[in-house]
Structures are given as C-alpha cells and as structure tokens.
Amino acid sequence: MRRTVFNEDHEAFRETIRAFIEAEVVPVYDEWFAAGQAPRDFYYKLGELGIFGINVPEEFGGAGLESHKFEAVLYEETARAGVQFGGSGVHVLLALPYIKMLATDEQKKRFLPKFVSGEEMWAIAMTEPGTGSDLAGMKSTAKLSEDGTHYVLNGAKTFITGGVHADRVIVCARTSAPTAEDRRHGISLFAVDTKSEGYSVGRKLDKLGLKTSDTAELAFVDVKVPVEDLLGEENKGFYYLGHNLASERWGIAFGAYAQAKAAVRFAKQYVQERTVFGKPVAHFQNTKFELAACQAEVDAAEAVADRATEALDAGELTPAEAASAKLFCTEVAHRVIDRCLQLHGGYGYMNEYPIARLYADNRVNRIYGGTSEIMKSIIAKDMGL
C-alpha cells in the first residue's frame, strides 16, 4: 500500500536527516550511550540544521510551518539508525506548544529566537515524587511576592527529561489551593530560568532505556520567578496541560510505530547474515513466519500512526483518538520488538546490537504520556462505558 502522508518536501528532509545522522550521530553514539546523555553542543547543531524552528513562526527565526509530519520523519529516521537525539524531543514536542499557545508577544520575542538556535534548551516539569500521574496532587508552590514583582517557587520535580541540559523549564506549581469542588484548580505554569538562585539539578537518573536522554530530579528553594515569566493565566495550568495531551500522545504513538518498523529491519538484516547449522537463520520457516507476522503488525500500526498524523495536522485529533493510537502503536511495538529480539538469540541481549537498546527504549512508551491502562479508560469513557 502506498503511503500518502508524506510529500516531496518531507522526503527531501528525510535525506538530509539521514545523512546528518550518519555523519554526526552514529560515529559517536556509543560515547553518548556510555555518558548517559548527548553533549550540550549537539543541540546547537540541531539548531543550525533547522530542526527546532520548523513549527516556529518566521518572525522569530523559524520556518513558519504548522505540521507534525517533519517530526514524524525524525521519529522514523532516528529509529531506523537505532539512535536518539538526546532530550531534544521534549524541547520541540512538549515545550514548544505551550510557548506558542500561552506566551505573550513580548515573551515570544525573548524566548523563541534562542529556542530555534538551541541557545536555550527547554524542558517541562510536571511530575513530583509521590504523585506520579496525579498532577492535581502536586505540592510545589509559587507565591506572589508582596510587591507583586515576582513569585517565590518552592518544591521538587522528578523524571524530568532534558532536565540536566535545560536552560528554561516550564514548571507547574500551585499558586492557589485546590477547591472542594475542583482539585485541579490553582496550578500555574512558569518559564523558569535554570540559572536562578535556589534552582538546582539533583541526580541524573539512571534509566532502563533512553540512555542518551538526560533525565533528572529538580529542586526549587525560594526561587524568584519574575511575573513576566508566568505562562498564560494564573490557576489555569491544569487546563493548559490537558490541551496538549493529544499531540504528546501522538508523538509517543508515532515513535513507537517507528521503533517497531526499525526492529523488523534490524531482525531481517541479522537473520540473513547469521548462520546456524550451516544455513542462514532466515532460511528456517519459523523465522519467515515470525517476521511476516511482525511486518503485518507494523503495517497496521503505520496506518494508525499516519491517520493520527493527518488528524493532528488538521486540528481534528480527539483525546480518545490520540489515546487509541497510543495504546495500539505502543502495544504493537512491545510485541514486535520482543519477537525481533528473540530472533537475534543471545546477541539480542547485548547492548552492542541496536535491537537490545531498542527493547529497553521502547518499554517506557506504555508508561509515560499516560499508561496503557489510562488510555483504555479514556477510550472506554468515549464509548459511553
């Protein structure tokens, strides 16, 4: 079946990204993997390549496009090469929508040119120790000073992707207490400068997968945040967070599909080269059947991912549809990658093989952005159940 989601511009972009990965990422990726993060100067290269500015208005140095299809190409090409671009995915997929949606003209002039160039890398801090997915239960506070010039931020966050290298972090904190009628009331968003006094980066967390993506704990002790760095209106943060969940879940869904597609590619290459009992592993019927079944699942996931991409670009992707795409694509990727690792035998368990790293990287897809169980709840509610 011929795909229709991409055009000539997307394919030209694909060629550029593939060449960039081969020249700038693959030769040093093992070093990044061992270090547990991509080097900070790599993000300047992504800025020069234009990766960060695709969906940023031209007046702020971007390309002015309103499409997620170039991001989709990035997902496919990084997965194909068995690499990650560090924590830069959060910079574009998660942080940028909040800047575009909530920032004032003055804030956009301050933030976006540096965002595009990579001079300022962004992250978003929602999760707190002990709260997990219960964002309404967050304890971090931001109290307005008596003179009204700044907020005083106190609290802690964890699982913050991009948190080590971040120059600005969108921090969610309580500016008012929750009400009896609405636990979600009172949360606000702030664009916090990580150089602020009292802001500190704690442990760089040692994750099962996504090793080149720096993930950290953050702490705030009497951090002064200028009122000019409030994003949107006070106390409406929970609504803002929900507004962008569809695009976040689309990104996880498409990334998972891309990983499954890559896994089949890695397995096919391996079984054609690996010899057992004097024959290539690809010669055995079980190998053929396993890869055929995996390819059929990848074809289905591709159709779901592409449909969700078109809906997202058209502004029509509903929360339930995004949840469905995430649930399906991440579950497919889980099954396919596991089966493709099995075809590698013992070598599939070795980190020198991309299938092993892919296996570890993929596992979080069914957890972050909302667990598979939460996705099922959203879908069931949409069904009227």
Side-chain angles (χ1 to χ4, degrees):
M1 294 177 284
R2 186 176 65 87
R3 297 179 79 185
T4 59
V5 69
F6 299 125
N7 61 28
E8 293 180 358
D9 291 338
H10 302 122
E11 296 307 330
F13 179 70
R14 185 187 303 279
E15 292 180 10
T16 298
I17 293 301
R18 188 172 296 183
F20 174 81
I21 289 173
E22 289 298 321
E24 300 289 344
V25 182
V26 172
V28 294
Y29 195 71
D30 286 344
E31 299 174 18
W32 297 4
F33 190 85
Q37 61 187 33
R40 178 62 179 85
D41 60 4
F42 173 67
Y43 298 133
Y44 290 108
K45 293 181 180 179
L46 293 181
E48 292 173 2
L49 196 61
I51 299 298
F52 298 149
I54 292 172
N55 293 325
V56 173
E58 292 182 47
E59 62 187 296
F60 303 115
L65 302 178
E66 290 293 339
S67 173
H68 288 78
K69 293 182 180 181
F70 292 95
E71 291 173 56
V73 171
L74 279 173
Y75 284 124
E76 290 187 334
E77 290 306 307
T78 51
R80 179 184 183 276
V83 301
Q84 298 278 338
F85 278 0
S88 63
V90 168
H91 183 69
V92 174
L93 182 64
L94 298 189
L96 182 58
Y98 290 103
I99 301 172
K100 291 175 66 177
M101 177 176 70
L102 302 176
T104 64
D105 289 341
E106 183 276 331
Q107 288 175 325
K108 289 177 181 177
K109 290 176 182 177
R110 277 196 293 133
F111 297 151
L112 287 176
K114 293 179 180 180
F115 181 101
V116 171
S117 68
E119 183 179 347
E120 280 192 352
M121 293 300 296
W122 287 62
I124 184 165
M126 293 185 279
T127 305
E128 295 185 357
T131 62
S133 298
D134 182 19
L135 295 180
M138 68 175 62
K139 304 298 183 183
S140 295
T141 60
K143 303 295 185 182
L144 187 63
S145 63
E146 291 184 3
D147 62 7
T149 62
H150 63 273
Y151 293 85
V152 180
L153 175 65
N154 285 281
K157 300 289 182 178
T158 192
F159 305 146
I160 309 307
T161 302
V164 174
H165 284 318
D167 302 288
R168 286 266 178 184
V169 176
I170 299 174
V171 177
C172 312
R174 285 205 165 275
T175 44
S176 297
T179 65
E181 297 77 20
D182 188 1
R183 292 178 62 240
R184 299 170 296 181
H185 172 78
I187 295 172
S188 300
L189 308 185
F190 300 89
V192 179
D193 185 341
T194 63
K195 297 185 293 297
S196 302
E197 184 178 354
Y199 180 104
S200 62
V201 178
R203 291 186 303 151
K204 180 166 72 66
L205 300 175
D206 184 15
K207 307 187 298 297
L208 171 67
L210 300 177
K211 288 291 189 179
T212 65
S213 174
D214 54 302
T215 302
E217 296 174 330
L218 306 179
F220 323 112
V221 179
D222 293 334
V223 177
K224 292 182 179 180
V225 182
V227 293
E228 293 82 7
D229 289 344
L230 172 70
L231 284 176
E233 297 182 38
E234 262 196 13
N235 302 324
K236 292 188 176 181
F238 199 96
Y239 164 77
Y240 298 144
L241 294 174
H243 185 79
N244 288 320
L245 278 175
S247 61
E248 178 183 353
R249 288 168 179 164
W250 164 83
I252 297 169
F254 203 99
Y257 140 71
Q259 289 175 325
K261 182 177 181 179
V264 172
R265 176 175 178 269
F266 295 144
K268 179 182 176 182
Q269 181 179 8
Y270 179 82
V271 299
Q272 289 175 327
E273 296 173 354
R274 175 70 170 165
T275 299
V276 178
F277 305 122
K279 298 178 181 179
V281 176
H283 177 81
F284 297 96
Q285 186 181 64
N286 179 69
T287 304
K288 296 176 182 180
F289 280 7
E290 283 293 284
L291 282 177
C294 287
Q295 183 61 54
E297 289 218 71
V298 169
D299 286 343
E302 181 179 87
V304 170
D306 285 356
R307 185 181 70 174
T309 303
E310 296 285 17
L312 183 63
D313 271 13
E316 298 173 353
L317 185 65
T318 68
E321 289 169 345
S324 178
K326 180 183 184 296
L327 176 66
F328 183 78
C329 290
T330 58
E331 294 291 342
V332 164
H334 161 65
R335 293 191 297 270
V336 167
I337 294 170
D338 184 75
R339 294 167 83 172
C340 287
L341 186 150
Q342 187 73 16
L343 289 173
H344 282 72
Y347 289 104
Y349 206 65
M350 301 296 110
N351 273 327
E352 64 185 278
Y353 283 80
I355 192 67
R357 299 180 183 183
L358 193 60
Y359 183 88
D361 290 348
N362 174 262
R363 185 59 185 88
V364 75
N365 288 335
R366 290 180 289 148
I367 299 174
Y368 67 3
T371 64
S372 291
E373 291 72 26
I374 289 177
M375 297 304 100
K376 292 174 183 177
S377 295
I378 293 170
I379 297 165
K381 183 177 180 180
D382 186 67
M383 295 170 65
L385 299 174

